[in-house]
Amino acid sequence: MVKDASFINFCNNLKNSTREPIAIYVDSNDSIIQADGIAVFKGEKYVGYLNAIDTISHLFITNAVKNCYITLDEPNIIDLEIKKYKNSRIKIFLIDNTPLISIEIFPEANILYSETNFNYTEESNIEEIENALNISLKNSLTNYLYKISREYNSDIVSFKKIYRSTFLTNDDFSKIDWETIFNNSYFSIKVSSRILYSNIIRKE
């Protein structure tokens, strides 16, 4: 469940000058209706859709993730349960009137399943999985961030509010045309994963 996508929050965000509204994106097939991601808006206008992987990225950045599940293909096929062990860090810089947004997230993963035998008691092997998870999530975050900025131009994270807090007055911030420059944003992304423990089921 994406908390920010509730109907009440959608209505509130229509009036919010620092965050664009989102809603639950549903898919219907015959008599079955299921949540399938996030619907992204620019004001009252629907501008695009975020799939399940994009949604995980959104939840990590906004500190709304509780737990989710992903599968890694390297170093072998591994199913992971993921949550965060610390809130994300976001810093925003303006370079030649272009935002550079620095983001670090902190996933914590349990290994649920491994397709092959793999010695998970060796520290070097755990580090290999952590590195693979870092790369996978960084790629997902990159796709998500450039999608909402370059493709949709919709600040659903509320980067505007974060950046505005660095100014002494609203008048100073008003000189920055955030709605225009956000579309040209660049992102610096770091993922700091850790594997705490595992309860592994191996394929025989």
Side-chain angles (χ1 to χ4, degrees), residues 55-114:
T55 300
I56 290 172
S57 297
H58 177 77
L59 293 176
F60 265 109
I61 291 175
T62 58
N63 297 312
V65 67
K66 291 184 178 180
N67 66 299
C68 57
Y69 302 88
I70 70 168
T71 298
L72 296 179
D73 295 328
E74 297 292 342
N76 54 67
I77 297 177
I78 302 170
D79 290 338
L80 299 173
E81 179 186 23
I82 305 176
K83 56 186 179 181
K84 66 181 176 72
Y85 65 89
K86 191 176 358 180
N87 283 343
S88 61
R89 293 176 182 167
I90 301 175
K91 295 181 180 180
I92 302 175
F93 311 92
L94 199 64
I95 302 174
D96 295 330
N97 206 38
T98 301
L100 172 61
I101 303 176
S102 172
I103 300 171
E104 184 174 8
I105 67 168
F106 303 90
E108 177 179 282
N110 295 327
I111 304 168
L112 301 179
Y113 168 85
S114 174

Side-chain angles (χ1 to χ4, degrees), residues 39-54:
V40 180
F41 289 78
K42 180 74 173 176
E44 297 179 354
K45 182 181 178 181
Y46 168 77
V47 293
Y49 153 74
L50 300 177
N51 61 27
I53 298 299
D54 295 329

Side-chain angles (χ1 to χ4, degrees), residues 1 47 57 139 145 180 186:
M1 175 72 177
V47 293
S57 297
N139 290 338
L145 289 164
T180 299
Y186 288 92

